Amino acid sequence: CSLRGTRVGLSFGAVVTIILASLVGFGITCLIGVNLSDFTFIIVFVVIGIGVDDIIVVVDFLNRQPRSLTTEERVAKAIGGAGPAIFLTSFTSLVAFVVASSVDFGGARWFCVTGGITIFVLFMLSLTFFTALLTFDENRRAKQRYDCFCCFSYNEIVNTEKFESDNEVELPVKSETTSAINDEEKKEEIESNNSNQNGDITLKEQLSPSNLDRILEKWLNFSTNKAVAVLIVLSFISFIPIGFGFAINKLDIGAELEDYFPDGSYYSRYINDDKIYKTSSEPLLLIMKDVDFSDEMIQWQVQRVISDIESSTYGKGNIITSPYKSWLNDYRVYAENTAVGNNTAVIHPVSGEGFYNSLKDFLEITDPTCVKYTSSEPRSCARYIIPALYARNIIWSDNENGSLSSMEPTIEVAKFSGRVRTETHTIDGVEIMKNLRSSLKASLEDNDIALSMDAFSFSFLYLDREPEMTRLIIETLAFAAMAVLGTVLLFLQPLSVTIIAFGTASIDGALFVIMYLLDIPIDVVSFLCLTMSIGLSVDYVVHIAHAYECFDYSHTEGQETEKTDTLRSEDLANDATKKTKDKLRFALSGTGRSVTKGGISTFIGLIMLAFSPAKAFRVFFKMLFSTVLLGLYAGLVYFPACIILVDPLISKVTKSKVKELNGNVDENEI
């Protein structure tokens, strides 16, 4: 492999740029106190995709600059040409992450804040650190020094019969033959004539005869057919109603907890063991606030609610796997047993005045105390408890305004502990949570109980979130898309922004269809991927749209062989159509090639996720790969097809202007 015209050293510099951006981004995130989660580090793969894409665009712009300029001028013009597109794509990704960071969801918020900061750092390093590396590399090539071994130089004689391609830098080498001198002068003349006022190379020179360019050229010729363009646009936009109207309603809610652990892990083996996991349960707390437990009627109501909850069912079994451990029941049994034992030295009231003081004394007992006797053997204990263990279930407060003595404490918060069965499927866990809360609400309403109660389990922290995921996703996508499109509107024409808006909605709809086909549920992983899709998918089509709008056709003017004072509208419309195709050819052959390379390199960066031992990370790969693929389709296929279809609208405007210029002369008279 020759180290003369390569950029291996610059490639390592690009990798260093991406690594530095990730490290600085994570450092700033930690510095401002934002938490990091396991999924936060997947930001690195997003940075790889955006960073490589931007770097390829810069290098390709550099390769298309006139070689007669100095290295500094070529680099400056390359940054001047690629900078706006890079800024626009980076800024749209930043806006998408900032909007998504407002979601009321801790893990997603941390992820989006970290992503926004890291992308901003990447943009700054691309324009500073990488630009410096690019300048060094261009100076090295101009001085004929080997790649990666810049201390060693080489001498090369240029083959004047074949000009160098866009990916090579022309070296000023003297030739002794007359033909070589003539060819060199001819080449300089071509470069001078084809350069416009900005120093850019014209369309003809920018089209290099690479295989990728030939493919893009053939595709452009095929897609310029109006029927093909209509088919492309309608088929792509059809994902909007299919995705948002059908697929999203068919998606499962919540992933299995096992998906977040590596395959074959201890947890996976545990959860898949029916003999162990199917019989497992977790604590379920019944929490009550500001309840006067000294009232015997309220005590009865509490016992009634607990009984109703214990009898609630889901599927083929009870939701509660074991009876509630009620400190209230055990205290009453303890007080009654004490009275039966004729222990008149200490009276333990079960209600009324003195109840709370006696209860506090009961909760200070650390010795095993019998609260249940067997029926077969009198005074034989069937159940022992340690009352002091109940102390953590009660939060005391002084009662200054109650009916009891101000010296007697009252209960501010009390909880009763039970066990609720666990489920392997998230949707079953959600249904159990809903049934419990429904049973609690029905018990309070049916028994006309005005008490403040709530059922809580640790898993409810996650199960409460899952039913809201669909709403959060739709709202986040809508707000992020509006923010991104509003930003793009500052730089691109409204027509292009409208096309991009429909393309973005189509990509999101297509992602929902892919989730349905691949059985990917709506959970935190898909939420993060859909959030990133706004920024990632827009990048590709924005690059193409920016290149299309920035094409300068002024250098082709004045080349017509015949000019007339009056013009036919058909001629001007045909000329406008030709210009439209030339602008698309320019965008696809130049920026389209860069975007394609960036998409391929992004896929290579994501491929490691496909082999992750955890299913959640493999879902990340599927979603991000689909996003990149759809983004490339939107930029290289959908956008050109839309431009071809809206060309008649432009031509109609052109016809009206022609009539004004020709003084409303009938075209048949021309």
Side-chain angles (χ1 to χ4, degrees):
C1 177
S2 174
L3 294 178
R4 296 182 179 184
T6 59
R7 297 185 186 271
V8 177
L10 186 64
S11 300
F12 281 108
V15 173
V16 172
T17 302
I18 294 173
I19 293 176
L20 282 178
S22 301
L23 293 177
V24 174
F26 287 132
I28 295 176
T29 300
C30 295
L31 186 63
I32 62 178
V34 177
N35 296 329
L36 297 179
S37 64
D38 295 339
F39 291 117
T40 303
F41 295 99
I42 297 183
I43 286 292
V44 174
F45 295 95
V46 180
V47 173
I48 291 175
I50 296 177
V52 170
D53 182 52
D54 292 344
I55 288 171
I56 289 176
V57 170
V58 172
V59 174
D60 279 357
F61 262 89
L62 176 65
N63 291 335
R64 296 198 296 269
Q65 300 306 312
R67 298 172 182 82
S68 59
L69 301 177
T70 63
T71 299
E72 289 74 15
E73 291 174 338
R74 295 182 69 229
V75 172
K77 287 185 175 296
I79 296 299
I86 293 176
F87 169 77
L88 184 56
T89 55
S90 300
F91 192 66
T92 53
S93 298
L94 175 62
V95 169
F97 276 119
V98 169
V99 173
S101 65
S102 62
V103 67
D104 187 16
F105 183 5
R109 184 167 59 251
W110 304 334
F111 180 90
C112 294
V113 170
T114 306
I117 294 174
T118 306
I119 289 175
F120 175 77
V121 173
L122 175 65
F123 171 72
M124 298 303 297
L125 290 179
S126 298
L127 295 184
T128 55
F129 179 73
F130 180 76
T131 301
L133 296 179
L134 185 62
T135 304
F136 286 138
D137 187 68
E138 281 300 295
N139 285 327
R140 187 268 307 170
R141 289 160 63 100
K143 294 178 180 179
Q144 298 187 13
R145 296 183 180 274
Y146 286 103
D147 193 6
C148 298
F149 299 96
C150 56
C151 295
F152 302 94
S153 60
Y154 61 90
N155 293 322
E156 182 180 30
I157 299 177
V158 178
N159 182 7
T160 57
E161 295 180 357
K162 180 180 180 181
F163 295 146
E164 294 177 284
S165 64
D166 289 339
N167 294 326
E168 298 177 347
V169 177
E170 180 184 350
L171 302 177
V173 179
K174 295 181 179 180
S175 176
E176 297 179 356
T177 62
T178 304
S179 60
I181 295 176
N182 294 334
D183 289 340
E184 188 70 18
E185 291 176 352
K186 184 182 296 184
K187 182 177 180 181
E188 291 178 357
E189 181 180 358
I190 293 174
E191 289 180 348
S192 176
N193 293 334
N194 288 344
S195 298
N196 59 19
Q197 59 183 357
N198 296 324
D200 296 330
I201 300 177
T202 57
L203 175 65
K204 181 178 180 180
E205 186 175 352
Q206 292 194 30
L207 293 176
S208 62
S210 65
N211 292 330
L212 181 58
D213 286 328
R214 293 190 184 98
I215 294 174
L216 293 175
E217 176 69 19
K218 290 181 179 179
W219 167 251
L220 181 61
N221 294 332
F222 173 74
S223 61
T224 52
N225 184 289
K226 295 294 179 66
V228 175
V230 170
L231 181 62
I232 291 173
V233 174
L234 292 181
S235 61
F236 194 54
I237 293 180
S238 65
F239 283 116
I240 298 177
I242 295 175
F244 288 93
F246 170 76
I248 192 173
N249 297 321
K250 298 296 182 179
L251 297 177
D252 293 333
I253 302 296
E256 311 308 329
L257 190 58
E258 179 187 3
D259 296 344
Y260 298 96
F261 292 85
D263 299 335
S265 63
Y266 173 80
Y267 180 81
S268 297
R269 295 195 304 269
Y270 161 72
I271 202 172
N272 289 318
D273 192 333
D274 293 342
K275 295 181 180 180
I276 299 177
Y277 187 76
K278 293 300 183 182
T279 58
S280 63
S281 60
E282 62 179 354
L284 177 68
L285 302 178
L286 184 62
I287 302 174
M288 305 180 186
K289 186 177 181 180
D290 297 328
V291 176
D292 184 9
F293 289 95
S294 65
D295 188 330
E296 191 157 2
M297 176 58 69
I298 291 180
Q299 291 183 20
W300 177 86
Q301 292 176 346
V302 170
Q303 298 298 333
R304 179 66 180 177
V305 171
I306 292 177
S307 176
D308 291 340
I309 292 178
E310 289 178 343
S311 62
S312 59
T313 60
Y314 174 74
K316 297 181 179 180
N318 291 334
I319 294 177
I320 305 301
T321 59
S322 61
Y324 268 89
K325 295 179 180 179
S326 172
W327 53 264
L328 181 59
N329 276 350
D330 290 343
Y331 169 73
R332 290 180 62 90
V333 173
Y334 168 77
E336 293 171 357
N337 290 341
T338 303
V340 171
N342 295 324
N343 186 356
T344 57
V346 179
I347 299 176
H348 299 285
V350 295
S351 62
E353 188 174 355
F355 169 81
Y356 289 114
N357 285 328
S358 180
L359 177 61
K360 291 196 70 173
D361 294 338
F362 169 73
L363 297 177
E364 293 175 356
I365 299 175
T366 57
D367 295 329
T369 302
C370 183
V371 293
K372 184 178 181 181
Y373 293 95
T374 61
S375 58
S376 58
E377 299 182 13
R379 309 306 298 174
S380 177
C381 188
R383 177 169 173 261
Y384 282 98
I385 66 167
I386 299 179
L389 297 178
Y390 282 131
R392 60 185 179 182
N393 292 342
I394 297 176
I395 298 178
W396 297 90
S397 64
D398 294 332
N399 184 10
E400 298 179 356
N401 301 320
S403 58
L404 302 177
S405 170
S406 61
M407 299 298 295
E408 186 175 7
T410 58
I411 295 177
E412 181 177 356
V413 178
K415 59 184 180 181
F416 299 87
S417 300
R419 304 288 299 185
V420 61
R421 83 185 201 214
T422 55
E423 296 290 339
T424 57
H425 298 290
T426 303
I427 190 64
D428 290 332
V430 172
E431 292 301 322
I432 285 178
M433 177 187 67
K434 292 181 178 179
N435 282 5
L436 277 172
R437 291 175 174 173
S438 298
S439 298
L440 175 59
K441 182 179 180 180
S443 179
L444 293 175
E445 293 177 351
D446 294 344
N447 296 287
D448 195 20
I449 300 175
L451 299 178
S452 176
M453 296 185 181
D454 192 19
F456 174 79
S457 180
F458 178 77
S459 63
F460 289 3
L461 293 174
Y462 306 96
L463 299 177
D464 264 329
R465 177 194 66 200
E466 302 301 343
E468 300 296 322
M469 289 301 299
T470 302
R471 179 185 61 82
L472 289 176
I473 287 175
I474 297 298
E475 292 180 355
T476 303
L477 290 178
F479 288 125
M482 287 189 292
V484 168
L485 294 174
T487 303
V488 174
L489 190 59
L490 300 176
F491 301 91
L492 300 179
Q493 296 295 329
L495 180 62
S496 297
V497 175
T498 303
I499 295 174
I500 294 173
F502 280 99
T504 303
S506 300
I507 290 174
D508 291 334
L511 287 175
F512 286 127
V513 174
I514 292 173
M515 290 174 62
Y516 172 73
L517 296 176
L518 299 181
D519 197 23
I520 298 175
I522 294 180
D523 66 333
V524 60
V525 176
S526 58
F527 174 84
L528 296 178
C529 292
L530 289 168
T531 300
M532 291 186 293
S533 70
I534 295 294
L536 288 177
S537 61
V538 168
D539 285 356
Y540 300 104
V541 67
V542 165
H543 275 304
I544 302 297
H546 183 268
Y548 173 81
E549 292 189 2
C550 291
F551 176 73
D552 186 6
Y553 217 101
S554 60
H555 61 275
T556 63
E557 295 177 355
Q559 297 180 2
E560 293 82 356
T561 58
E562 182 179 353
K563 295 183 180 179
T564 59
D565 294 333
T566 58
L567 300 174
R568 292 181 182 273
S569 60
E570 289 86 351
D571 295 337
L572 194 53
N574 292 334
D575 184 63
T577 302
K578 179 180 179 299
K579 289 183 178 181
T580 299
K581 294 180 180 179
D582 285 344
K583 291 169 69 176
L584 287 175
R585 186 176 291 106
F586 167 81
L588 292 180
S589 62
T591 304
R593 177 175 55 187
S594 304
V595 165
T596 304
K597 293 178 182 178
I600 295 174
S601 58
T602 302
F603 169 74
I604 296 174
L606 295 173
I607 194 66
M608 296 300 296
L609 287 174
F611 303 98
S612 173
K615 183 178 179 181
F617 292 96
R618 295 196 295 271
V619 169
F620 254 104
F621 168 76
K622 295 176 183 178
M623 293 289 292
L624 293 182
F625 173 72
S626 301
T627 300
V628 172
L629 195 62
L630 291 169
L632 288 174
Y633 183 88
L636 301 177
V637 180
Y638 163 76
F639 182 80
C642 288
I643 292 298
I644 292 298
L645 293 179
V646 300
D647 177 72
L649 300 178
I650 302 175
S651 300
K652 289 181 180 180
V653 178
T654 305
K655 289 182 179 181
S656 62
K657 292 184 177 180
V658 168
K659 290 184 178 181
E660 294 179 3
L661 294 174
N662 293 338
N664 295 326
V665 178
D666 190 355
E667 297 176 8
N668 296 325
E669 298 177 359
I670 299 176

